[in-house]
């Protein structure tokens, strides 16, 4: 299974357009909003979430380019972990695909019904049920709904465990964790690679820019996850523009690497 990290930042990316914090003005390598591409055969690709940056992410990734036919594309579908705008707005950018299959929790699909009504004018969405060569397992991890969504039964956020049936390679994708939910330890057990929520390094991180704490925003801080790594191949993604691990010279960045975790940049590729 091929895995390409198209984007590794939280909503707004880094630098964020409306922020002049130290990290956004430090000239660090930019990161686009969180999105992953996976493929069992290198020909047909599936997106895990679909960021507002998807057009640039596709154009920057030769494996996802159109061709050889004039309107032939390698994208086969999208799996959504949640209904947050930074994970779903890209679906409207892909409207030209017409009928692109989408998989998501029922609550997420209900919340996105306005998106779907827009997309229907260009070919609509179909239901993604099968990923050839891959097995998909789902774990509900949070009931946090996005601000724009009406109340309704969840789950609102899930994690995916994707297994390559030929190689046995396993990817776990969990970019949004409000806490460490029941069942997650067994869900990540034996995974070849775990892409884990790394939005914030510490619980009080947003205080410096006048924002709410990480619990209100629905993200488990890295400091709460580090003790669980124990030599596993884990990488943090969905990094907020306030997160000090973005700076390779920071002690926080060094602490993550010392614990055995990874902080991969946009464009990183894995083969599982």
């Amino acid at each position: 299974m091929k895995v390409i990290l198209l984007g590794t930042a939280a909503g707004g990316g880094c630098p964020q357009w409306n922020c002049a914090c130290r990290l956004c003005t430090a000239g660090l390598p930019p990161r686009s909003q969180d999105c992953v591409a996976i493929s069992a055969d290198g020909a047909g690709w599936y997106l895990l979430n679909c960021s507002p940056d998807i057009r640039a992410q596709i154009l920057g990734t030769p494996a996802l380019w159109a061709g050889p036919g004039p309107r032939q594309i390698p994208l086969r579908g999208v799996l959504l972990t949640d209904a947050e705008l930074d994970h779903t707005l890209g679906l409207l950018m892909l409207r030209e695909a017409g009928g692109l299959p989408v998989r998501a929790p029922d609550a997420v699909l209900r919340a996105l019904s306005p998106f779907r009504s827009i997309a229907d004018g260009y070919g609509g969405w179909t239901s993604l049920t099968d990923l050839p060569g891959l097995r998909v397992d789902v774990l509900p991890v949070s009931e946090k709904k996005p601000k724009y969504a009406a109340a309704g039964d969840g789950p609102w956020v899930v994690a995916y465990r994707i297994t390559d049936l030929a190689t046995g390679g396993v990817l776990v994708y969990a970019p949004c964790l409000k806490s460490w939910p029941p069942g997650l330890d067994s869900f990540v057990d034996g995974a070849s690679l775990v892409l884990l929520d790394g939005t914030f390094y510490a619980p009080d991180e947003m205080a410096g820019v006048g924002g709410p704490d990480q619990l209100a925003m629905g993200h488990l801080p890295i400091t709460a996850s580090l003790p669980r790594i124990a030599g596993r191949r884990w990488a943090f993604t969905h990094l907020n523009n306030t997160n000090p691990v973005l700076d390779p010279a920071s002690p926080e960045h060094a602490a993550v690497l010392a614990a055995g975790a990874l902080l991969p940049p946009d464009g990183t590729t894995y083969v599982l």
Side-chain angles (χ1 to χ4, degrees), residues 5-16 28-36 51-58 60-61 86-87 173 237-241 246 264-267:
L5 308 190
L6 302 179
T8 56
C14 186
Q16 186 168 300
L28 299 172
R31 292 177 183 253
S32 60
Q33 294 168 94
D34 182 77
C35 186
V36 177
S51 87
D53 300 320
I54 190 61
R55 179 182 179 275
Q57 290 169 341
I58 289 174
T61 308
D86 57 308
H87 283 160
Y173 180 60
T237 189
H238 201 266
L239 306 176
N240 199 55
N241 65 300
L246 291 169
D266 290 11

Side-chain angles (χ1 to χ4, degrees), residues 69-164:
R71 292 287 183 169
Q72 186 176 351
I73 61 172
L75 290 182
R76 300 290 182 263
V78 180
L79 294 83
L80 302 175
T81 60
D82 54 74
E84 296 292 346
L85 294 178
D86 57 308
H87 283 160
T88 58
L89 277 175
L91 289 172
L92 296 181
M93 301 299 295
L94 299 183
R95 63 193 181 278
E96 295 93 346
L100 190 68
V102 175
R103 176 172 178 169
D106 288 342
V108 171
L109 292 176
R110 289 195 302 269
L112 294 177
S113 58
F115 285 21
R116 191 165 195 167
S117 64
I118 293 172
D120 282 347
Y122 299 87
W125 300 346
T126 59
S127 179
L128 176 61
T129 58
D130 183 45
L131 281 67
L134 302 172
R135 185 181 75 236
V136 179
D137 296 297
V138 183
L139 178 71
V141 296
S142 175
E143 296 296 324
K144 182 185 180 295
K145 65 181 182 66
K147 293 179 181 178
Y148 71 85
D153 293 336
W156 281 95
V157 185
V158 299
Y160 289 110
R161 181 183 173 104
I162 301 171
T163 303
D164 186 309

Side-chain angles (χ1 to χ4, degrees), residues 229-254:
I229 292 174
R232 299 182 176 99
R233 193 183 188 190
W234 286 8
F236 288 103
T237 189
H238 201 266
L239 306 176
N240 199 55
N241 65 300
T242 58
N243 194 327
V245 302
L246 291 169
D247 183 356
S250 70
E252 293 86 356
H253 185 102

